[in-house]
Amino acid sequence: MQSPQPEKSKPPVKIEQRGRILGIGGVFFKSANRDQMREWYSKHLGLADKGAGVMLPWREHDDPQKEHVTVLTVFPSSTNYFDPSHAPFMVNYIVDDLDALLDRLKQEGVKIDPKRMNESYGRFAWIYDLDGNKIELWQRPQSASGLLAANSQID
């Protein structure tokens, strides 16, 4: 006779909070020698930029069907896209629910740029960390594949 096995408990149902970071959508930095910098990344690291940034594809760990791309882009040093931050770089984070994240960050007292951008390739908002570094938040549209269109507009 076998003793009864204790019933295995099921893991708790994970209720995910909306408004979370899914990954890095892009790393952007300025260079006074944009073309030479692109060449350097291509030659030494194999990261070829044909004009819209370097596309680095990846999939979500928990849902491998979801494809994303992280973009490495060299901006000209004259760009004002990072303003008012004085940092020579900016990170773009992919978010699942831009509105939910902004609501939470507002409640937490995070400095939020009032500007918003709604494009065919996604919705954008910007926040600032404690040092004043500008951070870009991007929610891709349900049917879009990535930042390719966004980076084709880099000046």
Side-chain angles (χ1 to χ4, degrees), residues 6-12:
E7 188 176 315
K8 284 189 177 181
S9 62
K10 295 181 181 176

Side-chain angles (χ1 to χ4, degrees), residues 113-130:
D113 193 311
K115 180 182 175 186
R116 298 289 177 275
M117 200 166 82
N118 294 307
E119 303 291 340
S120 61
Y121 45 86
R123 297 175 56 222
F124 296 83
W126 296 268
I127 62 171
Y128 300 90
D129 69 13
L130 291 175

Side-chain angles (χ1 to χ4, degrees), residues 30 75-85 90 115 134 155:
K30 298 177 185 183
F75 280 76
S77 58
S78 61
T79 188
N80 61 3
Y81 192 64
F82 302 5
D83 290 353
S85 173
M90 182 171 60
K115 180 182 175 186
K134 191 174 186 179
D155 54 21

